Amino acid sequence: YNITSLSNNSVHSIYQDKEGTIWIGTFGSGINYYNRLLFQFEHYKQIPNEKNCLSNNNVNVFFEDGDNLWIGTEGGLNILNRKTGNYKFYKHSLENKKSISADAIWSIFKDSRGNMWIGTWAGGLNLFDKKSETFTHFRYNNNNNEGISSDNIFGITEDSCFLYLGTMNGGLC
């Protein structure tokens, strides 16, 4: 009940940015931002009828890319520009085949070529095109032995030859 403390004891993700600030994603209570100079937590939450705030209070993953903090929630992909304080949102749309494939975002990765990869729960892997702000989908297909092994992507990394995906029930792809 202390507004300067951690907002929830169920922590899904922790990230330390290049400035040493700690970002904590919770289950149901948004983001807790901790700067050692302030000695308290600041909170970022979804606020009903507010357009420039977090899209969902279940926060799964963070990724820093310059001034932008990419935030994966259960309600879509949020990109917070830390200089302006403005958000961009990407949500699944049945009417738009180039929208993100699912709203539950569990992994975000920037490869050595600068490509942004987004792993989802039940939507497979997404490649984000920064210019058009659209997504290319890579989905599990039982009839394709060379495709991804699961639509639930929890981790993404690379080496000099391959992109590796940690999946739920599909092993390492």
Side-chain angles (χ1 to χ4, degrees):
Y1 299 101
N2 180 343
I3 62 168
T4 63
S5 72
L6 193 63
S7 65
N8 191 305
N9 287 332
S10 184
V11 174
H12 272 202
S13 54
I14 302 172
Y15 180 76
Q16 184 174 16
D17 67 22
K18 63 185 174 190
E19 296 165 356
T21 301
I22 305 294
W23 298 82
I24 301 169
T26 67
F27 180 77
S29 295
I31 296 172
N32 294 259
Y33 167 92
Y34 182 75
N35 185 311
R36 290 179 212 181
L37 300 174
L38 300 175
F39 297 107
Q40 67 183 21
F41 288 97
E42 291 183 24
H43 305 126
Y44 293 77
K45 294 184 178 185
Q46 178 186 32
I47 301 168
N49 302 317
E50 177 69 34
K51 292 181 181 177
N52 193 45
C53 66
L54 201 59
S55 70
N56 188 281
N57 285 325
N58 295 325
V59 179
N60 301 323
V61 65
F62 297 99
F63 184 86
E64 185 176 16
D65 187 27
D67 292 331
N68 292 320
L69 186 66
W70 296 54
I71 305 162
T73 74
E74 290 293 309
L77 177 64
N78 298 237
I79 301 175
L80 170 62
N81 182 305
R82 291 180 294 171
K83 278 191 174 179
T84 66
N86 292 323
Y87 287 84
K88 279 190 176 182
F89 304 101
Y90 300 94
K91 290 185 157 213
H92 175 68
S93 169
L94 290 173
E95 293 81 35
N96 181 357
K97 293 182 184 198
K98 295 281 187 175
S99 72
I100 198 160
S101 62
D103 286 335
I105 311 302
W106 279 90
S107 53
I108 303 170
F109 181 73
K110 184 176 183 178
D111 70 21
S112 58
R113 296 178 181 163
N115 296 313
M116 294 300 296
W117 298 91
I118 314 299
T120 68
W121 176 263
L125 182 66
N126 292 260
L127 175 59
F128 181 66
D129 184 317
K130 289 181 183 180
K131 290 180 183 175
S132 65
E133 297 190 46
T134 60
F135 297 86
T136 301
H137 308 148
F138 300 87
R139 302 291 305 265
Y140 170 72
N141 180 339
N142 195 31
N143 298 320
N144 181 359
N145 293 336
E146 295 181 9
I148 67 172
S149 58
S150 171
D151 273 342
N152 305 315
I153 312 296
F154 281 80
I156 308 169
T157 194
E158 71 176 339
D159 66 11
S160 60
C161 298
F162 296 102
L163 192 66
Y164 293 91
L165 309 176
T167 72
M168 175 69 78
N169 296 325
L172 179 66
C173 179

